[in-house]
Every structure is written in C-alpha cells, then in structure tokens.
C-alpha cells in the first residue's frame, strides 16, 4: 500500500466515483508533466449539491464542509487521470465560494480544501492558492475548485 493509500485509509476517506462531465469539456487535460483539472463543485458522492450563500443562509462551517467535498472530487479526478501516487505537487488551487457582499472570509472556507489536500498528499499537497467570492456558481454550488498539478512522467 502506498503512502497516499495509507493516508486515505487512516482518514477513512473513500474517493467518490465521478461520471463524465455533463457539458462540452474534459474533466482533466494532461500537457506534458502538468495536469489541469476542470472545476469541481461541492457535490457529494450521493449526488447532492451542497448549496447556499456564505453570509446569508450558509455558515463558515457549511463552507468548510463544501470545500472539503469539492476537494474530494478534485482528488477523485486526479486519481482517475493519473493516480494520486503520481502527484508530484499541487501547484495552484483556484477556489470560489458563493458569498454575500458582506462575507469576506473565503480563505477560511477554502482552508477546508487546502487542509484535505495536505492530509491526503502530504508535502505534495502544498500549493499556491486563490480564494474568491462568487455571486453564483454552477448548479447553485457553495464551492468550486480547479487546480494545476505537476505529475511524475
């Protein structure tokens, strides 16, 4: 068992099984030693989209849960494309959180995703990051993430 698989097991994490994208794009694109992962929303393995608006009808804790859920989907896409053991480094995580005009703590929300990447991938999960508010996200999602990843050849 690899380090990543051991971490997943120790954290009692089972990656969701994701289908093909619903629209006209690829879930991931590999270019040389880079993997680009398309936006992953806060949709649970059972298909429920975690929705809401931070500062309105969603709490910081709701946002953190949604960020972790989106990060699980991100990890599943990486695993499907190249295998998590082939992640050399998460280079950049871009994140959006549906927020009211007065909610300004998007970084704390997205820490839910960042911490999960660190917990699962160790040092390879360290990344640069952007955490931005959004008026609305696809399917009413509370959080959306995309990433650029360096992979082993």
């Amino acid at each position: 068992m690899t380090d990543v698989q051991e971490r997943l097991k120790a954290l009692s994490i089972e990656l969701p099984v994701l289908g093909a994208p619903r629209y006209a794009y690829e879930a991931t694109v590999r270019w040389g030693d880079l993997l680009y992962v398309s936006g992953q929303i806060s949709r649970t393995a059972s298909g429920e989209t975690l929705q809401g608006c931070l500062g309105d009808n969603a709490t910081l804790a709701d946002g953190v849960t949604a960020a972790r859920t989106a990060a699980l989907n991100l990890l599943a896409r990486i695993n499907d494309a190249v295998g998590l053991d082939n992640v050399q480094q998460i280079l950049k995580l871009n994140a959006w959180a549906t927020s009211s005009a007065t909610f300004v703590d998007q970084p704390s929300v997205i820490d839910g995703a960042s911490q999960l990447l660190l917990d699962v991938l160790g040092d390879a999960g360290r990344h640069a990051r952007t955490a931005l508010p959004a008026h609305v996200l696809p399917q009413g999602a509370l959080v959306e993430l995309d990433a650029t990843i360096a992979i082993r050849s």
Side-chain angles (χ1 to χ4, degrees):
M1 192 177 294
T2 67
D3 287 346
V4 173
Q5 292 169 335
E6 287 176 7
R7 285 189 200 107
L8 287 170
K9 185 175 179 180
L11 295 166
S12 299
I13 292 175
E14 190 170 322
L15 295 178
V17 176
L18 305 175
R22 295 180 182 179
Y23 305 101
Y25 68 94
E26 299 299 320
T28 61
V29 172
R30 181 175 178 171
W31 186 261
D33 292 340
L34 294 178
L35 181 70
Y36 297 91
V37 182
S38 293
Q40 300 301 304
I41 63 172
S42 51
R43 185 181 308 117
T44 67
S46 66
E48 174 193 3
T49 300
L50 302 181
Q51 300 179 329
C53 180
L54 295 157
D56 184 9
N57 61 358
T59 66
L60 179 64
D62 294 333
V64 169
T65 297
R68 282 183 57 87
T69 300
L72 283 172
N73 294 334
L74 186 79
L75 288 168
R77 289 292 188 200
I78 296 166
N79 193 52
D80 289 347
V82 298
L84 291 176
D85 294 321
N86 291 312
V87 171
Q88 186 171 353
Q89 191 72 48
I90 304 289
L91 298 174
K92 180 74 186 286
L93 181 69
N94 295 307
W96 298 267
T98 304
S99 306
S100 71
T102 59
F103 186 85
V104 295
D105 203 10
Q106 291 81 12
S108 292
V109 169
I110 304 309
D111 271 353
S114 292
Q115 189 59 57
L116 182 67
L117 294 174
L118 289 168
D119 291 345
V120 172
L121 298 171
D123 284 340
R126 296 190 183 284
H127 53 272
R129 181 180 88 182
T130 301
L132 297 170
H135 173 69
V136 66
L137 290 170
Q139 300 172 37
L142 186 51
V143 171
E144 182 170 3
L145 308 172
D146 73 21
T148 303
I149 298 114
I151 55 174
R152 292 181 179 84
S153 347

